[in-house]
Amino acid sequence: MSRIATGICAAVAIAAGGYWLSLSNSSPSYPLVSGAEAQEADLDTSTIVEMVQGAEDAPVEIIEYASYTCPHCATFHQGAYKQLKKDFIDTGKVKFIYREVYFDRYGLWASMVARCGGPEKFFGITDLIFEGQSEWTKAGGPAEIVDELRKIGRLAGIDNDQLEACLQDGTRAQTLVAWYQENAERDGIQATPSFIVNGKKVDNQSYADFKKLIEDELGS
């Protein structure tokens, strides 16, 4: 996916946060607000935890920007990412940071489920979300999609009460969107998946090209 329209995506996502709370109601619990209004609200984006794998002092830092509804992101996570993790993250050579991009309300909802289990379960849930992307994104209307995401959360060991608390947290939804906007604007993210490798923006590419890039950074 490409050409991220930040303000529009944020407005849609924030409205979706309200719509989530009102699946059984006739009107949203939260009004549609623009991205700018969300930024001006009393939202503390420093409360959003960075999701990190690998050694803190690894010589190479890779930040991935991805959307849970992006097919190219799913392809990356089912292929190149697994090789990257085995060869570089698990060996202490790469610190990997995953940052969500919100193209739509469904991506936001998936993010809220993925984060519900905390950092310990985040990447495992992310794997499940991407593995099942073609199923849960086509489950039907919003209520059906929410139910499919709940199933993924339960499969990861999150109980119903905890899941509902996460999904009902409208303030967290707005804060996530504001955090996403700050990151995307700062790093000039225009497509997903996109990567920042030791401070330099990199487009999606084959694992072979990624490996060469990392090895160049390692000086090997």
Side-chain angles (χ1 to χ4, degrees):
M1 291 189 182
S2 62
R3 293 168 52 186
I4 297 173
T6 307
I8 294 173
C9 291
V12 170
I14 292 170
Y19 188 78
W20 184 304
L21 303 179
S22 62
L23 286 173
S24 60
N25 298 327
S26 60
S27 61
S29 302
Y30 289 84
L32 175 65
V33 295
S34 71
E37 287 170 333
Q39 297 269 17
E40 293 169 3
D42 187 20
L43 303 174
D44 182 3
T45 56
S46 70
T47 63
I48 303 301
V49 176
E50 288 276 25
M51 296 301 175
V52 181
Q53 286 182 316
E56 185 64 32
D57 60 351
V60 178
E61 178 185 85
I62 298 178
I63 302 171
E64 180 191 5
Y65 282 90
S67 164
Y68 285 117
T69 58
C70 161
H72 294 298
C73 301
T75 298
F76 173 79
H77 272 265
Q78 293 174 72
Y81 163 75
K82 294 184 185 299
Q83 294 177 283
L84 175 68
K85 186 175 186 299
K86 178 182 177 182
D87 294 343
F88 295 104
I89 299 173
D90 291 346
T91 57
K93 297 175 182 177
V94 165
K95 174 185 176 181
F96 182 79
I97 302 171
Y98 181 94
R99 290 179 180 165
E100 301 97 299
V101 169
Y102 304 124
F103 285 115
D104 47 49
R105 58 190 179 183
Y106 305 134
L108 174 62
W109 298 352
S111 174
M112 293 172 78
V113 170
R115 287 177 169 271
C116 195
E120 298 79 10
K121 293 186 175 182
F122 177 82
F123 285 98
I125 297 175
T126 290
D127 286 343
L128 292 173
I129 290 172
F130 278 129
E131 286 171 9
Q133 184 192 82
S134 60
E135 286 79 33
W136 67 262
T137 57
K138 298 175 182 178
E144 290 79 16
I145 288 174
V146 168
D147 283 342
E148 290 302 310
L149 289 169
R150 285 191 181 102
K151 289 178 185 177
I152 292 173
R154 289 194 293 269
L155 183 62
I158 304 174
D159 65 42
N160 287 328
D161 289 344
Q162 184 179 351
L163 268 175
E164 291 312 306
C166 292
L167 301 183
Q168 296 287 334
D169 194 340
T171 298
R172 175 49 60 95
Q174 292 191 16
T175 305
L176 281 168
V177 172
W179 171 77
Y180 143 67
Q181 284 189 292
E182 289 174 359
N183 290 331
E185 290 171 4
R186 182 185 59 252
D187 289 337
I189 302 303
Q190 296 295 322
T192 59
S194 287
F195 305 87
I196 307 293
V197 180
N198 278 353
K200 295 172 286 189
K201 188 164 71 170
V202 176
D203 292 331
N204 191 23
Q205 54 193 286
S206 69
Y207 177 69
D209 290 337
F210 253 118
K211 183 177 180 181
K212 183 179 185 306
L213 177 62
I214 294 168
E215 289 175 343
D216 288 345
E217 290 292 321
L218 290 170
S220 58

